[in-house]
Amino acid sequence: MGWGGRRDGQVLLGPKSCKTIHFKKGHPRPMRPFSPLSRKPLLAIAFVGIFLCLYNIASHPRVSQTMQPSAYYNNNDERVCLPQRMLTMHPPAKKAKAAFVILVRNKEQQDIAETIVNLEDKFNKNFKYPYVFLNEEPFTEAFKSAMRAASPYADMQFGLVPHEHWSYPSHVNETYAAQCRERMKEEGVLYADLESYHHMCRYQSGFFFRHPLLDSYDWYWRVEPGVRFFCDITYDPFLYMEKHNKKYGFVVTLMELRETIPTLWETVLKYAQSRHIALDRPGRLFPYFRDTSGDYNLCHFWSNFEIASLDLWRSPSYRDFFNYLDKTGNFFYERWGDAPVHSLGAGLFLDTDEIHYFEDFGYQHDLYRHCPSKESGLACRCECPQGTTQQSIDHDKNWDTCLPRWREWLKVSSKDKKTAWNIWS
């Protein structure tokens, strides 16, 4: 008989009944070491432990199967939605040489303060990147105090735009520029009658990255007064771009107003020809901006949000490109914007796979909004408005979005690049 076998009135201990213990009737019989009664508390504890383990697994942020734990816990350089408690317990240890860059005026104090509070909540409370504020006029002490109140622990610098970067160059006829503004006003060209708007577009196109306050940085995140972020950003987009060899990042791609840039495309093509740039080299970004007739399709990256390499604009190639455009005077005679200038400049000098679409960012500027779709699985605790209202337009579905073309272009570009590799292999 096996261990603990029993007959009426006795308990046998050990194999082959080495010893017999007798007990009287009516007395409680001795319990086995783990009787059904004693096992219940242990089973309950085990059940609770298994439940908590499964709950933690289920609530853990979803990551790709190839991602290693050290990558998203320690390096923060992969796109992932982490619990806030994880970032609190393990603050990011590594940072890029990067800063927020904000061109803003004193009168926009309230709007930019609200934006900073929002940006700190969604991202920078964990990553603690500095802010660089730029203005063509000196910042007031009230403005500086309001910014520090919006983010008490952030590093902030306040810079003055050099006069030579916010004034008419010698080759521009100011009288003719004023006449052009008046004509464009009559024609209803958006913002064209605002002299300061022309200076702003020229500055953002060719000068902001030269400001001494940016000399120590490699990357920038452009922020505009009044913009809003809707989703938590729990990884470092700068480190992500460094790791994946990206040079320019956007959230919204849309069509430009043709009346603002009547000669820009023609000028860019002339520049490319004069510099012997192969616009159709496999992998190059430039054909994304061209329609089937060879004309500009008006698509561009909306530059009120940019995360990009400062070295892209600092490069001799881009500076040469900007100088060529600037010599035309059409930042003042027309209403060339920095968004198409940046976009076409990137098209000339970058490959498609050096561009990153921040699809996971929920973002709104003016009325136009982008939020990650449910199908994408990229949303991280988003608080996005639904549909299109008078206060917020779902731009991914708007008539002037270029997002479907961008998605199609990624497929075409990848196919063309693979074909080119096969030819040379």
Side-chain angles (χ1 to χ4, degrees), residues 33-34 37-48:
F34 296 102
L37 181 61
S38 65
R39 284 199 300 266
K40 287 181 180 180
L42 295 177
L43 289 173
I45 294 172
F47 176 79
V48 171

Side-chain angles (χ1 to χ4, degrees), residues 23 102 130 133 144 170 193 198 288-289 312 420:
F23 55 88
I102 306 175
F133 297 90
K144 295 177 183 179
S170 59
D193 60 320
H198 294 263
Y288 166 64
F289 303 108
L312 169 61

Side-chain angles (χ1 to χ4, degrees), residues 205 248 256 300-304 306 337-344:
S205 295
Y248 186 92
E256 180 61 293
H300 65 286
F301 306 125
W302 217 17
S303 60
N304 48 74
E306 293 178 325
D338 54 280
V341 170
H342 277 190
S343 299
L344 294 175

Side-chain angles (χ1 to χ4, degrees), residues 53-61:
C53 179
L54 293 175
Y55 175 80
N56 283 331
I57 293 173
S59 63
H60 197 278

Side-chain angles (χ1 to χ4, degrees), residues 298-316:
L298 302 179
C299 288
H300 65 286
F301 306 125
W302 217 17
S303 60
N304 48 74
F305 172 96
E306 293 178 325
I307 298 179
S309 167
L310 284 162
D311 288 340
L312 169 61
W313 314 129
R314 290 166 175 162
S315 68

Side-chain angles (χ1 to χ4, degrees), residues 143-421:
F143 181 94
K144 295 177 183 179
S145 297
M147 297 308 102
R148 294 184 179 114
S151 181
Y153 303 106
D155 290 332
M156 295 182 175
Q157 292 178 292
F158 300 86
L160 183 65
V161 172
H163 175 73
E164 61 270 22
H165 294 168
W166 198 283
S167 57
Y168 290 99
S170 59
H171 60 269
V172 169
N173 184 322
E174 295 185 40
T175 302
Y176 180 58
Q179 294 171 353
C180 290
R181 290 198 304 275
E182 188 61 31
R183 173 182 53 79
M184 288 186 283
K185 178 181 179 181
E186 294 175 357
E187 295 172 353
V189 179
L190 188 65
Y191 303 137
D193 60 320
L194 302 176
E195 185 178 24
S196 61
Y197 195 87
H198 294 263
H199 287 295
M200 182 275 292
C201 290
R202 179 173 178 261
Y203 180 75
Q204 294 281 34
S205 295
F207 295 106
F208 84 92
F209 50 87
R210 309 184 198 200
H211 198 285
L213 290 181
L214 297 181
D215 286 349
S216 60
Y217 299 113
D218 297 332
W219 298 88
Y220 74 99
W221 179 335
R222 178 168 162 180
V223 180
E224 299 262 327
V227 304
R228 181 166 179 80
F229 295 87
F230 296 110
C231 306
D232 285 357
I233 303 165
T234 60
Y235 67 99
D236 190 321
F238 301 113
L239 295 181
Y240 177 92
M241 293 183 72
E242 281 186 347
K243 180 177 180 179
H244 294 278
N245 195 32
K246 304 295 183 180
K247 302 294 177 59
Y248 186 92
F250 73 95
V251 170
V252 173
T253 177
L254 75 170
M255 297 173 67
E256 180 61 293
L257 302 172
R258 187 176 294 275
E259 61 270 20
T260 66
I261 51 165
T263 66
L264 177 59
W265 180 255
E266 173 190 343
T267 306
V268 172
L269 294 182
K270 288 180 179 178
Y271 171 80
Q273 184 178 21
S274 69
R275 302 306 191 266
H276 306 289
I277 298 174
L279 299 178
D280 293 303
R281 177 180 58 75
R284 195 182 291 278
L285 173 66
F286 192 82
Y288 166 64
F289 303 108
R290 188 170 55 200
D291 65 19
T292 54
S293 69
D295 196 5
Y296 185 23
N297 60 22
L298 302 179
C299 288
H300 65 286
F301 306 125
W302 217 17
S303 60
N304 48 74
F305 172 96
E306 293 178 325
I307 298 179
S309 167
L310 284 162
D311 288 340
L312 169 61
W313 314 129
R314 290 166 175 162
S315 68
S317 297
Y318 180 80
R319 288 193 182 204
D320 179 61
F321 171 64
F322 170 75
N323 290 336
Y324 187 93
L325 298 184
D326 196 35
K327 290 294 183 183
T328 67
N330 285 331
F331 283 103
F332 300 99
Y333 305 148
E334 298 181 12
R335 207 230 68 188
W336 289 3
D338 54 280
V341 170
H342 277 190
S343 299
L344 294 175
L348 291 174
F349 305 119
L350 295 182
D351 285 353
T352 300
D353 57 14
E354 294 177 294
I355 306 296
H356 181 65
Y357 170 35
F358 282 100
E359 186 177 1
D360 54 319
F361 283 24
Y363 174 77
Q364 180 166 329
H365 176 267
D366 288 341
L367 293 178
Y368 280 175
R369 179 191 81 245
H370 162 77
C371 276
S373 64
K374 291 182 180 179
E375 295 75 18
S376 71
L378 297 174
C380 184
R381 298 186 289 277
C382 296
E383 301 171 339
C384 293
Q386 298 299 311
T388 292
T389 66
Q390 291 184 343
Q391 291 76 37
S392 184
I393 295 172
D394 182 358
H395 188 262
D396 292 356
K397 300 176 182 178
N398 206 50
W399 66 270
D400 62 345
T401 181
C402 289
L403 188 56
R405 173 168 176 77
W406 173 253
R407 297 188 189 280
E408 183 61 29
W409 170 248
L410 290 179
K411 299 176 186 177
V412 171
S413 178
S414 177
K415 182 179 178 181
D416 289 349
K417 202 166 187 178
K418 288 179 180 178
T419 302
W421 287 343

Side-chain angles (χ1 to χ4, degrees), residues 65-131:
Q65 292 181 352
T66 60
M67 189 182 297
Q68 299 301 316
S70 61
Y72 60 87
Y73 284 139
N74 298 333
N75 296 336
N76 302 103
D77 56 4
E78 288 292 348
R79 184 168 61 188
V80 63
C81 182
L82 293 174
Q84 178 56 42
R85 66 180 183 275
M86 184 74 67
L87 291 166
T88 302
M89 294 172 60
H90 304 283
K94 181 181 178 182
K95 290 173 66 175
K97 295 172 65 177
F100 300 106
V101 178
I102 306 175
L103 182 65
V104 62
R105 290 177 163 179
N106 291 307
K107 65 182 181 181
E108 296 170 307
Q109 172 181 312
Q110 183 62 33
D111 287 342
I112 192 59
E114 292 175 359
T115 292
I116 290 174
V117 169
N118 169 241
L119 183 55
E120 287 288 314
D121 177 56
K122 297 300 182 183
F123 171 75
N124 206 43
K125 66 185 178 186
N126 295 312
F127 294 90
K128 303 185 183 340
Y129 278 100
Y131 293 84

